[in-house]
Amino acid sequence: GINAEYMGNTQTGKLNLFHITMSKPTCEASAHFFGNFGASLALALANFGAAYGTAKAGIAVAHLGISQPHKVMRGIVPVVMAGILGIYGLIVAVIIVGSANKEGYSQFSGFLHMGAGLAAGGSSNGKVVQNACEVPSK
């Protein structure tokens, strides 16, 4: 907040000096909780999606090795791309934690970072959610 202090002549009422100080907003503990929770969501969900993608691509590479062995090296590309999802989650988590350790971290920033972590981690889980919600055809 802003603190104003009158330092003038009180008998004549003339303003000689007006001293204004601004205090920094206090950091609430819940702001850091939500910010770090966003970082953990980004890391955990992205790596869960990367593990799922690696497993699905690994099964496909194994099948490709049986049916068409000369195309196995081409089939490794999806495995590498799935691993990149986990690295993406790690990068987002490091960025969130780096900005969450600053002085004056507000409640708004905590919720903002939680949303960013949820978005980054959830985007790596797109296929997992799609397979979980899929209704089997008859």
Side-chain angles (χ1 to χ4, degrees):
I2 299 175
N3 299 324
E5 182 180 337
Y6 177 72
M7 300 177 73
N9 189 345
T10 55
Q11 293 174 350
T12 61
K14 290 183 179 177
L15 182 63
N16 292 337
L17 183 62
F18 196 65
H19 183 70
I20 298 176
T21 59
M22 294 188 68
S23 62
K24 292 184 179 178
T26 59
C27 298
E28 296 183 27
S30 61
H32 287 283
F33 169 77
F34 287 116
N36 289 319
F37 183 61
S40 65
L41 279 174
L43 188 62
L45 292 177
N47 283 302
F48 181 71
Y52 185 81
T54 302
K56 293 289 273 189
I59 292 169
V61 168
H63 178 29
L64 189 65
I66 295 169
S67 62
Q68 298 173 349
H70 59 280
K71 292 186 178 180
V72 170
M73 289 309 288
R74 236 184 249 176
I76 293 178
V77 173
V79 176
V80 173
M81 295 303 286
I84 291 173
L85 292 175
I87 295 170
Y88 176 64
L90 176 67
I91 291 169
V92 171
V94 167
I95 291 171
I96 290 173
V97 168
S99 61
N101 290 333
K102 294 181 180 173
E103 190 175 330
Y105 191 66
S106 66
Q107 190 80 19
F108 175 77
S109 297
F111 286 126
L112 184 75
H113 288 141
M114 184 182 73
L118 185 62
S123 64
S124 298
N125 280 320
K127 191 65 178 173
V128 176
V129 173
Q130 179 187 0
N131 287 343
C133 297
E134 198 171 89
V135 178
S137 59
K138 294 181 180 179

